[in-house]
Amino acid sequence: METIDLHDAACFGVAGNFTGHLEQAGEAENFKALKIVDAAAPKALFPTYVPHKEIPQEANGAKAAPSFLNVFPFDAKKIVFPKGEQKLQIEPEIAIVFEADWQGGKLAALEPRFFGASNDVSIRKEGELKISVKKNWGAASKGFSEQAIKVEPGIFDRYRIASYLRRDGKLFEYGENSPVNGYSYFGKKLNDWLLDKFNNQEDLGPAEDIHSYLAAAGFPKKIFVSVGATRYSDFGKENFLQGGDDSIVALYPDSYSKEDLERMILGGERGEGLSILCQRVVL
């Protein structure tokens, strides 16, 4: 298990990589302007944090990320509720930390190094098109587990994603318990899609020109990607976060049962191979 420092990583999320999630979140309509060849493909790649760096000489013409994306949003212990907002939802995901290989100003390869439980918390608000605005509202608006796991061949096939909301001492299932390989795009298919989006995605609708942001940031060698949120349970669809809630995302190998996992979460236990993220909602 490792604790990964993300301050020097460019961080992103994948929209629409789990069938049905965007419809549940009420955001599917926003993506209709995008040209998507494969109906099963994710819809866009959006930024959540881009380290600030003066634009290097060789990146003339690159457009830097909006300044709010330079604010480090990750906290493994808490979520600070955004002022003036009401609807905040857990987005339970697996996140992968990649080593980036840049060649001639293009992203040539992404090598997965570590993975862990991620909460890509989102504000549900009408009238705001860009996804990033609903993702980074300042410090402690995102989460990544301090228990990151080294990527090894075949390891993802053994893992599942679970998420819960703990309120008044009771544990409620928030997202559908799902296998990691249940994503629409994963493994090489996802890797190829990411390379295309990092190099070629246009500023259109909810999407942004992220290649320009990366060029302006000096082509970061570390890239973090939250792969996509699972579908919500009936409870998760109807219940938004409140002060004092605990938001919990867990990645666990299938050697544990769901009952084992829930018992360990309630008891504050940590088992071998588990990546757990527990954040208290602070008003």
Side-chain angles (χ1 to χ4, degrees):
M1 293 290 186
E2 304 249 356
T3 298
I4 306 296
D5 185 357
L6 296 177
H7 283 83
D8 60 344
C11 301
F12 298 85
V14 177
N17 197 19
F18 221 104
T19 304
H21 173 79
L22 287 177
E23 288 76 11
Q24 287 183 327
E27 298 193 353
E29 286 291 317
N30 294 341
F31 295 88
K32 287 197 168 179
L34 302 182
K35 296 176 183 177
I36 298 165
V37 177
D38 178 6
K43 304 303 181 279
L45 190 57
F46 57 86
T48 54
Y49 169 69
V50 181
H52 175 70
K53 186 173 182 178
E54 295 300 325
I55 299 177
Q57 239 2 73
E58 64 270 18
N60 284 337
K63 180 183 176 183
S67 59
F68 74 89
L69 287 172
N70 300 144
V71 178
F72 188 72
F74 291 91
D75 193 299
K77 304 296 183 186
K78 66 179 183 290
I79 299 166
V80 174
F81 204 97
K83 285 184 169 52
E85 299 296 342
Q86 296 180 336
K87 295 182 176 180
L88 200 66
Q89 282 185 299
I90 302 168
E91 295 232 338
E93 314 193 15
I94 180 176
I96 302 174
V97 180
F98 293 94
E99 181 181 328
D101 177 19
W102 293 93
Q103 295 183 15
K106 290 288 186 180
L107 187 57
L110 288 167
E111 288 294 331
R113 298 302 186 197
F114 297 93
F115 69 97
S118 171
N119 187 1
D120 196 28
V121 199
S122 192
I123 304 170
R124 302 298 175 209
K125 57 195 297 183
E126 294 185 15
E128 184 54 66
L129 190 57
K130 294 301 184 190
I131 308 170
S132 56
V133 175
K134 296 177 275 191
K135 296 291 187 177
N136 185 337
W137 57 87
S141 55
K142 290 271 149 295
F144 183 56
S145 174
E146 293 176 320
Q147 300 146 332
I149 302 165
K150 188 175 180 180
V151 173
E152 297 173 353
I155 194 168
F156 294 119
D157 294 339
R158 308 198 302 268
Y159 272 80
R160 300 185 66 86
I161 308 169
S163 63
Y164 300 90
L165 184 148
R166 182 164 52 203
R167 179 176 289 168
D168 299 327
K170 296 179 182 177
L171 205 60
F172 300 92
E173 192 167 18
Y174 203 84
E176 291 182 5
N177 189 297
S178 306
V180 165
N181 59 16
Y183 281 105
S184 297
Y185 276 34
F186 202 70
K188 184 181 185 305
K189 197 171 187 180
L190 176 64
N191 199 295
D192 290 346
W193 181 88
L194 288 172
L195 289 174
D196 175 60
K197 293 302 173 187
F198 278 125
N199 287 318
N200 303 309
Q201 181 169 281
E202 298 178 354
D203 188 341
L204 179 65
E208 297 173 60
D209 179 1
I210 52 179
H211 182 269
S212 183
Y213 296 173
L214 291 166
F219 304 112
K221 300 295 187 185
K222 187 190 297 180
I223 292 180
F224 167 99
V225 179
S226 265
V227 172
T230 61
R231 287 183 295 271
Y232 291 117
S233 67
D234 289 340
F235 178 89
K237 281 187 287 186
E238 303 296 332
N239 287 269
F240 299 98
L241 293 174
Q242 300 174 5
D245 287 344
D246 286 326
S247 163
I248 300 163
V249 181
L251 280 176
Y252 69 103
D254 54 17
S255 54
Y256 294 92
S257 69
K258 182 181 171 184
E259 292 72 26
D260 288 337
L261 177 68
E262 293 175 356
R263 174 183 52 77
M264 295 174 78
I265 289 172
L266 285 170
E269 301 176 45
R270 292 291 184 267
E272 184 67 29
L274 293 180
S275 177
I276 296 179
L277 174 66
C278 182
Q279 297 167 284
R280 174 65 54 89
V281 180
V282 179
L283 298 180

